[in-house]
Amino acid sequence: MACNELISGFVKPDDILKTDQFTDFSTLPSRGFSLLVRAKRHGRWWLLKGLKEQYRQDTVYQVLLQKEYEITSQLQHPMVVSAISFEEVEGLGPCIVMEWIDGLTLKEWLTQGKHSRKQRRHVADMLMETLAYVQSRQTQHRDLKPSNIMLTHDGKYLKLIDFGLSDTDNYAILKAPAGTEGYMAPDGPSDIYSLGCILRELRLGWLSCMVVSKCCAPLSRRYTDIATIKRDLYRCWLWPKRILLFLCLVALATGLYQMNRMHTQQGLQTVGDSMKILKEENNAKMTLEQATTDTLRFQVDQINHQREAEQATIQKRHDFIAAAKRNIDKQMQAYGIQQMFDTVTCQRNITIPFLRITDELIRDTKEPELKTYIQERYRKPWMKRMSELPFE
């Protein structure tokens, strides 16, 4: 082999592996208090998320940045942006080191030409899968919108980004309402509501509007989990196919029927007889169902009438007992029992007539409830009163 023969190979600059420092900084447009910078380290691009200079000394924003890192780093999913570390970067202060995503936001993707319904449904499917995972981690994104969803240029892969306003049940700080107008529910942050707004922008078909409406409904009627939304959307997407399949089957059946009609009149008569039998069976079935319904309705009416009669009997007896008690009280008042009871001192000879009166009332009364009433209201109090009086 000649010494001057060219040999293929990789160029390995030493400076790529010698330093852990970031280089080639480029600031990206950002709103609010966050600072976004693209930088290179170890031959790879990274996204640094820190605080703008006027917010770096504010404890609240420092805690908010730390909270975002802790929440994002716990979400390990291919379609959630990865937070690698939380580092102090010279000139930028504390920063979250995140993977660099080469793509465009869903907002930009929607404005770049027309996309097929299949592509838009694929994006919706990926977004629901991602949110289902985030929800399973007891986490709320709280700022879900197209600009916080990244897509590859061909729209085949998705990444959910910017968990700066997210929250979990594990934190008791920074619980204030948050979100973006137009994607935040009137009753407060809700990823379900925001998802409904995004699905509306994806234009998934007129049948999907029912699912979108329920996503954006008031809290009492809104979906509570992503799995149910996904199931209902799939049903909406499959209905046109089912209708098309049904029409094809109808067309096939019609063609076979026409062929059969052309072949023989007897076959047509057979089909007519079968239809007639089927119609008669259907009428008989409907008649039986109507009879069963009428029977059940009659039984329910009978039960209701019986219940009303029982309630009327109970009320009648209640009124009878109340009237009887009032009558007993009037008889006792006529005998002057209350005055005797209030003025008696040691006249024990009054006891015998009083006991005789109460015994006669008890004897003449047939209702056990009234007998108990006379005993408790008149006889027992009188006996107790007389037992407490001293002898003269």
Side-chain angles (χ1 to χ4, degrees):
M1 181 184 293
C3 295
N4 59 352
E5 183 178 353
L6 297 178
I7 301 176
S8 300
F10 289 103
V11 178
K12 298 181 179 178
D14 292 339
D15 57 347
I16 292 180
L17 303 176
K18 282 183 178 179
T19 176
D20 289 332
Q21 301 298 319
F22 289 100
T23 60
D24 299 335
F25 294 93
S26 58
T27 304
L28 305 177
S30 61
R31 295 182 178 181
F33 57 88
S34 297
L35 175 67
L36 299 178
V37 177
R38 189 179 78 155
K40 185 186 293 184
R41 182 167 67 179
H42 298 162
R44 178 180 173 182
W45 289 110
W46 303 92
L47 179 67
L48 306 178
K49 184 172 184 178
L51 298 173
K52 292 180 180 178
E53 189 171 357
Q54 61 268 34
Y55 299 104
R56 288 176 192 169
Q57 304 305 319
D58 194 316
T59 305
V60 173
Y61 293 104
Q62 292 175 0
V63 173
L64 189 62
L65 188 66
Q66 178 71 30
K67 179 181 177 182
E68 178 183 357
Y69 167 70
E70 293 174 357
I71 292 176
T72 309
S73 62
Q74 293 172 6
L75 299 175
Q76 303 295 324
H77 191 274
M79 287 185 282
V80 176
V81 63
S82 299
I84 309 303
S85 62
F86 191 76
E87 303 179 15
E88 184 78 23
V89 179
E90 184 178 356
L92 300 179
C95 292
I96 304 174
V97 181
M98 294 187 289
E99 63 173 324
W100 170 256
I101 302 170
D102 185 19
L104 63 166
T105 65
L106 177 60
K107 182 178 181 180
E108 295 169 339
W109 185 79
L110 288 173
T111 59
Q112 290 186 356
K114 293 184 178 181
H115 304 286
S116 66
R117 182 170 294 177
K118 182 178 180 181
Q119 289 176 311
R120 297 196 300 271
R121 287 180 176 178
H122 177 61
V123 172
D125 188 52
M126 291 190 294
L127 179 58
M128 288 187 292
E129 178 185 344
T130 308
L131 287 179
Y133 168 77
V134 173
Q135 193 178 67
S136 70
R137 303 290 294 178
Q138 291 82 43
T139 301
Q140 273 197 352
H141 189 280
R142 303 212 310 166
D143 194 20
L144 194 62
K145 55 185 177 181
S147 57
N148 284 339
I149 300 168
M150 295 289 295
L151 292 173
T152 54
H153 293 283
D154 56 6
K156 291 184 178 180
Y157 300 99
L158 176 146
K159 284 280 187 178
L160 185 60
I161 64 172
D162 194 0
F163 286 79
L165 300 178
S166 60
D167 196 13
T168 69
D169 296 337
N170 299 329
Y171 288 92
I173 59 173
L174 302 172
K175 295 285 186 178
T180 300
E181 185 178 356
Y183 298 93
M184 184 174 67
D187 46 55
S190 170
D191 287 352
I192 300 292
Y193 183 94
S194 303
L195 173 62
C197 297
I198 296 172
L199 294 179
R200 182 185 293 115
E201 295 183 19
L202 284 172
R203 302 189 305 278
L204 304 175
W206 65 272
L207 286 174
S208 305
C209 294
M210 296 182 292
V211 178
V212 172
S213 298
K214 193 171 181 181
C215 288
C216 300
L219 185 60
S220 59
R221 295 189 290 109
R222 190 181 304 158
Y223 284 110
T224 57
D225 61 279
I226 304 297
T228 307
I229 301 175
K230 193 172 184 178
R231 181 201 64 195
D232 290 352
L233 269 180
Y234 282 176
R235 288 177 178 175
C236 293
W237 297 346
L238 288 175
W239 265 113
K241 295 181 180 179
R242 292 174 179 174
I243 293 174
L244 181 61
L245 177 61
F246 174 76
L247 293 176
C248 291
L249 292 175
V250 170
L252 178 61
T254 303
L256 293 174
Y257 173 74
Q258 294 295 338
M259 289 176 61
N260 188 45
R261 184 179 180 182
M262 292 172 60
H263 287 157
T264 173
Q265 185 65 29
Q266 183 181 0
L268 180 61
Q269 184 64 38
T270 302
V271 172
D273 294 341
S274 300
M275 294 295 292
K276 184 177 179 180
I277 294 172
L278 182 61
K279 184 177 180 180
E280 291 175 354
E281 291 178 352
N282 188 34
N283 291 336
K285 183 178 179 182
M286 292 179 62
T287 303
L288 179 60
E289 291 178 352
Q290 183 63 38
T292 304
T293 303
D294 294 341
T295 302
L296 291 175
R297 185 180 294 111
F298 176 76
Q299 292 176 354
V300 170
D301 292 341
Q302 290 293 325
I303 293 172
N304 290 335
H305 290 326
Q306 184 178 358
R307 185 179 301 140
E308 291 174 359
E310 290 176 354
Q311 291 177 351
T313 302
I314 293 172
Q315 183 62 37
K316 185 177 180 180
R317 175 170 175 75
H318 176 76
D319 296 341
F320 169 75
I321 295 297
K325 288 181 179 180
R326 291 194 296 271
N327 188 37
I328 291 171
D329 292 339
K330 288 181 181 180
Q331 292 182 31
M332 287 299 184
Q333 290 176 5
Y335 289 127
I337 295 302
Q338 190 63 40
Q339 292 81 357
M340 295 167 61
F341 184 78
D342 293 338
T343 58
V344 70
T345 57
C346 61
Q347 298 177 17
R348 291 183 175 274
N349 56 343
I350 299 177
T351 304
I352 296 175
F354 177 76
L355 295 178
R356 187 182 300 115
I357 293 170
T358 56
D359 289 342
E360 289 176 358
L361 282 174
I362 294 172
R363 185 176 63 254
D364 296 339
T365 302
K366 296 181 180 180
E367 295 290 340
E369 188 174 347
L370 296 176
K371 291 178 183 290
T372 303
Y373 177 74
I374 297 171
Q375 286 278 1
E376 298 295 332
R377 180 167 176 79
Y378 294 103
R379 186 181 180 88
K380 287 184 179 181
W382 181 269
M383 296 300 296
K384 182 180 178 183
R385 171 70 171 165
M386 293 305 298
S387 65
E388 295 173 352
L389 295 175
F391 289 98
E392 288 186 351

